[in-house]
Amino acid sequence: LAAPDDASDLPDALAWTASEMLAAEKKAVGFYVTGHPLEAHFELVAKLGAVTSAELSQQESGSRATIAGLITDLQLRTTKKGDRFAIFRLEDQAGSVKCVLWPEPFRRQSAMVADEATVLVTGRAEISDDGMITVIAEKLTELTQAVQQKARELVIGFPATTNSAQLCDAVKNLLEQAKGECDVFVEVVSEGMLVRVRTHPSLKVQGSAEIESALRNLGCEVRWEGFAASKQAAAARSSA
């Protein structure tokens, strides 16, 4: 019999990333072993005031709910009138919950509905007498975009620069193209002190990953603040 190949003869290969490892685990055994994809977004989910799938059972039927997770077991269906809608499970570290996205919101957000997509779902939690939970989804937001869209304050840190007037004009022009409801604050270091100034109330923006990227390209630091944690999340965690 031929001797087994020596391990040293194996070709060099790049190590899997954490996300690749998790994806391979799910494909091989049907569940995650070494972690969960949502763990990478732990701080983000906490900022957004989302409840977990386990905490949903502590809410009243019909109450508003925000939950983050991965879309799994996606089923695209059609009503008798020919309108498409989606049924899926939203999975987080605590478990999963059934979600229904009816035709009207599905038409607006169908591009975000895909297996393994990581999303923030906002809707209404319906809890049956036997404890079965269904979230009637009204809005889906890509989790990586959720911070910018949920924030109520944009804080821009100006770098030390000799051409501050030009930078101010560039930032102002950028913000004026993204009108919204998010207040804007500017931070600068003056004589060794950090000074924070609120811009004119008319200069409010709509948060987005695009505007964050554009500001960073100008050399600015960017923070999104002013998150209002949901009352459901606070109540669920205080009673746990």
Side-chain angles (χ1 to χ4, degrees):
L1 294 174
D5 292 338
D6 191 276
S8 61
D9 294 333
L10 295 175
D12 292 334
L14 293 175
W16 281 348
T17 64
S19 59
E20 289 172 336
M21 174 72 78
L22 292 172
E25 292 172 355
K26 183 70 176 289
K27 184 177 180 180
V29 299
F31 55 88
Y32 301 108
V33 178
T34 58
H36 191 279
L38 210 61
E39 291 173 359
H41 305 285
F42 177 78
E43 291 185 3
L44 168 57
V45 173
K47 269 187 178 182
L48 297 171
V51 297
T52 67
S53 57
E55 291 169 339
L56 281 174
S57 62
Q58 302 171 30
Q59 298 186 196
E60 294 183 1
S61 183
S63 62
R64 302 284 298 170
T66 299
I67 179 172
L70 278 74
I71 293 178
T72 62
D73 299 332
L74 175 62
Q75 301 174 49
L76 300 180
R77 297 186 179 181
T78 305
T79 67
K80 293 180 180 179
K81 293 182 179 180
D83 297 321
R84 301 192 77 192
F85 67 100
I87 298 176
F88 57 89
R89 298 200 70 82
L90 195 68
E91 177 186 321
D92 61 11
Q93 299 100 313
S96 66
V97 62
K98 178 183 176 181
C99 297
V100 178
L101 188 67
W102 290 119
E104 184 177 347
F106 179 80
R107 278 193 295 269
R108 298 193 306 266
Q109 303 166 94
S110 59
M112 279 184 257
V113 183
D115 267 319
E116 303 300 317
T118 307
V119 297
L120 187 75
V121 173
T122 302
R124 187 178 71 256
E126 293 189 348
I127 306 175
S128 65
D129 292 338
D130 58 359
M132 297 296 292
I133 304 172
T134 301
V135 174
I136 307 302
E138 298 168 1
K139 183 178 180 180
L140 272 65
T141 308
E142 291 179 347
L143 199 54
T144 54
Q145 297 267 0
V147 164
Q148 295 91 340
Q149 294 186 20
K150 295 285 186 180
R152 291 294 172 263
E153 297 176 359
L154 167 60
V155 182
I156 305 172
F158 273 34
T161 176
T162 56
N163 201 345
S164 57
Q166 183 176 349
L167 178 60
C168 286
D169 288 341
V171 170
K172 182 174 181 290
N173 291 334
L174 180 64
L175 298 180
E176 287 178 339
Q177 298 174 31
K179 295 291 187 180
E181 298 299 322
C182 189
D183 292 320
V184 179
F185 295 83
V186 173
E187 289 185 345
V188 294
V189 176
S190 176
E191 299 181 354
M193 297 180 61
L194 181 64
V195 179
R196 180 168 175 168
V197 180
R198 182 174 184 173
T199 64
H200 192 276
S202 64
L203 194 62
K204 294 186 177 184
V205 301
Q206 172 62 51
S208 70
E210 290 74 20
I211 194 172
E212 177 176 335
S213 177
L215 287 168
R216 292 190 186 279
N217 287 339
L218 291 174
C220 299
E221 295 182 357
V222 179
R223 296 199 314 278
W224 301 94
E225 298 180 352
F227 299 95
S230 68
K231 295 180 180 179
Q232 293 92 341
R237 291 182 179 121
S238 64
S239 62

